[in-house]
Amino acid sequence: LFRSVLYGLAKFGLTLAAAALVAFYIAKFVWTLTWLAAGHAWRIPDPILIGAVAFSLFLAYPTTGTDVYESIGIALIFLVLSGKLGEPAGGILASATLFVTTLFRYSGVKLFGFYGLVKLIRRPRPLTFAKVVLVAVAPVAAYLYCLRVVARDSTPYHGAGPPLHTHWILLLKGIYYAVTGGWSPTLLPLRALEVVLLLIASVGLGLVWRKGMVPEWIHLMLGYQAYCFCCLILVQISFGSMYPSLQPAFATPRYLALAQPFNVAALLFLASFALRPLHPALRALPDRKSTRLNSSHLGI
């Protein structure tokens, strides 16, 4: 689909490089809007949401075209899972999003797995299963088309087998990437700032966890990162030979950075609770009633 987009832009007289640049910045604009919409639907405080999206937009992942398209899909699925749209609009948007995301990057079909899991965990009923199957028709068809017709089985994993050795110690590195959303600065001052932020956010997590005030959107983000992490471990076990021996799949930051605005928002949100007693302006942040979503908002 990305090549089709480039072809369409080239019909207007653009060079291939110019068409790629235009597509990239249009995608970045849409990416910004979708993540702002998702954050607003989950009632993330506006200053934290805007700061997280701006940080991710200018300083960090995703930076390549197909990463941006896949991240847009994640934002729209997060929007659907907020329950803001209701049914059947939510199901239609989920199916269309998963369909287009899979056409841009056929591994995007894994996003359907997360969507289906969340829906079934929330409401484990036969009717829910039937709705998930209906949503799956379009993205699965796109996946099979990309795999069988476009790629003709010549995928990055074709002919690959399990690794001779797996460096499980790098799981710690993978956890670090999952927490930071893939952001790992090389400059020492930024690395120190990141460590300080992580420590403060850890204190904030302890506070909100003890008081039962962890927002639902943080649970969703943690669940998605855990889901991606498990998928990457399975890829490493099955197709580890596709990766350098010292950099197995579960230590690759790109795969843990596609939902980064929510990662950054969670760190800022938790840090604000840890710093709340130190600054009067932070005392006005939402309390338990506004940070926890009620059952009607979740569509339960």
Side-chain angles (χ1 to χ4, degrees):
L1 190 57
F2 180 60
R3 288 182 293 180
S4 300
V5 170
L6 294 182
Y7 175 79
L9 291 174
K11 296 295 287 184
F12 291 95
L14 297 176
T15 65
L16 182 63
L21 194 64
V22 169
F24 176 76
Y25 282 107
I26 291 176
K28 276 283 193 176
F29 177 72
V30 175
W31 179 90
T32 303
L33 295 181
T34 53
W35 277 109
L36 288 174
H40 180 73
W42 281 101
R43 300 180 184 176
I44 299 177
D46 287 339
I48 290 176
L49 174 62
I50 294 172
V53 172
F55 173 86
S56 303
L57 179 67
F58 293 109
L59 295 180
Y61 288 90
T63 55
T64 63
T66 49
D67 287 350
V68 174
Y69 305 138
E70 192 171 352
S71 184
I72 290 172
I74 295 169
L76 290 174
I77 292 301
F78 279 19
L79 173 61
V80 170
L81 292 175
S82 71
K84 193 78 171 180
L85 298 178
E87 296 292 348
I92 294 173
L93 178 59
S95 184
T97 297
L98 293 167
F99 174 76
V100 175
T101 302
T102 304
L103 286 178
F104 271 111
R105 187 192 293 274
Y106 68 81
S107 61
V109 75
K110 72 179 184 295
L111 184 57
F112 161 72
F114 177 74
Y115 168 82
L117 281 174
V118 173
K119 298 292 286 187
L120 290 172
I121 289 173
R122 284 179 173 175
R123 187 175 294 182
R125 300 176 183 176
L127 180 60
T128 306
F129 180 79
K131 291 180 179 179
V132 170
V133 170
L134 287 176
V135 170
V137 172
V140 170
Y143 173 75
L144 294 176
Y145 171 77
C146 292
L147 187 66
R148 303 297 182 184
V149 179
V150 178
R152 299 184 186 276
D153 291 325
S154 296
T155 70
Y157 304 121
H158 184 67
L164 296 177
H165 304 284
T166 299
H167 298 268
W168 294 104
I169 189 64
L170 287 180
L171 280 174
L172 298 177
K173 188 176 182 181
I175 293 173
Y176 162 77
Y177 283 135
V179 171
T180 62
W183 187 57
S184 182
T186 55
L187 296 177
L188 185 59
L190 291 179
R191 179 65 62 87
L193 177 63
E194 181 186 42
V195 171
V196 171
L197 178 60
L198 290 175
L199 291 175
I200 296 175
S202 298
V203 175
L205 178 61
L207 292 175
V208 297
W209 189 279
R210 185 179 60 185
K211 296 179 180 180
M213 297 171 57
V214 181
E216 294 292 339
W217 61 270
I218 292 184
H219 285 289
L220 180 74
M221 184 272 296
L222 291 175
Y224 179 74
Q225 292 295 64
Y227 172 79
C228 289
F229 205 74
C230 292
C231 290
L232 293 174
I233 292 175
L234 291 175
V235 168
Q236 170 64 19
I237 293 173
S238 303
F239 307 107
S241 61
M242 295 303 299
Y243 299 91
S245 59
L246 295 179
Q247 186 79 1
F250 48 68
T252 304
R254 184 192 71 79
Y255 296 99
L256 297 168
L258 297 175
Q260 193 194 46
F262 269 36
N263 281 74
V264 177
L267 292 175
L268 294 177
F269 182 85
L270 295 173
S272 69
F273 267 88
L275 298 174
R276 201 171 185 178
L278 303 178
H279 198 287
L282 295 175
R283 296 173 190 166
L285 286 172
D287 57 15
R288 178 173 182 171
K289 292 182 180 179
S290 58
T291 55
R292 297 191 68 185
L293 303 180
N294 57 42
S295 59
S296 61
H297 180 68
L298 291 173
I300 299 176

